[in-house]
Amino acid sequence: LLMTSSTGTEASHSPGDHEMIQACLEHRPFAWQSFVDRNLATVISIIGQINEANSLNLTEARRDSLAEDVFRQLRANDFELLRKFHENGNFRTFLIICTRRIVLSQTDKD
């Protein structure tokens, strides 16, 4: 689930994670698109893992829809979820937890 470096240790976050989150919170131009571009593959990967672990048999269209839901909820209410991220925390872990909660909540409704 977590990205590892070439030495096999967990990468807590990229040096730009905190800056990118701050840029989103400050509504800087193109910050949100950069955030999505940077994290889309991770979100899609997490959805794939949830799909396999729970035998959900999600279609590609449904996986894409769930990814949109994740990003929509991260941005909702003036980035309420992103504001909950603690600067000294592990952003990738935070993103995994948020994605899991959102996806499992959405698939429970199906």
Side-chain angles (χ1 to χ4, degrees), residues 17-28 31 87:
D17 287 338
H18 297 293
E19 293 83 2
M20 186 174 299
I21 292 167
Q22 191 60 41
C24 288
L25 299 180
E26 294 173 1
H27 303 280
R28 291 187 210 153
E87 191 170 315

Side-chain angles (χ1 to χ4, degrees):
L1 282 175
L2 296 176
M3 301 297 288
T4 56
S5 70
S6 58
T7 61
T9 59
E10 286 184 9
S12 63
H13 58 80
S14 165
D17 287 338
H18 297 293
E19 293 83 2
M20 186 174 299
I21 292 167
Q22 191 60 41
C24 288
L25 299 180
E26 294 173 1
H27 303 280
R28 291 187 210 153
F30 308 108
W32 178 247
Q33 187 59 50
S34 295
F35 178 87
V36 172
D37 291 346
R38 183 172 184 164
N39 293 293
L40 181 59
T42 300
V43 169
I44 294 289
S45 175
I46 296 164
I47 293 170
Q49 292 169 10
I50 294 168
N51 185 40
E52 287 182 29
N54 295 285
S55 302
L56 298 176
N57 299 316
L58 299 173
T59 64
E60 186 175 343
R62 183 62 176 132
R63 286 191 299 264
D64 291 348
S65 174
L66 288 167
E68 288 176 23
D69 288 343
V70 169
F71 287 107
R72 189 176 304 112
Q73 289 192 39
L74 287 171
R75 189 174 185 167
N77 301 317
D78 195 31
F79 301 99
E80 182 178 359
L81 274 178
L82 281 183
R83 290 180 190 284
K84 292 180 181 181
F85 174 68
H86 299 288
E87 191 170 315
N88 60 347
N90 180 313
F91 178 69
R92 195 157 304 279
T93 299
F94 175 83
L95 184 60
I96 289 167
I97 291 168
C98 288
T99 300
R100 283 186 171 287
R101 288 180 179 168
I102 293 165
V103 169
L104 291 173
S105 171
Q106 293 297 319
T107 56
D108 282 347
K109 294 176 186 177
D110 291 348

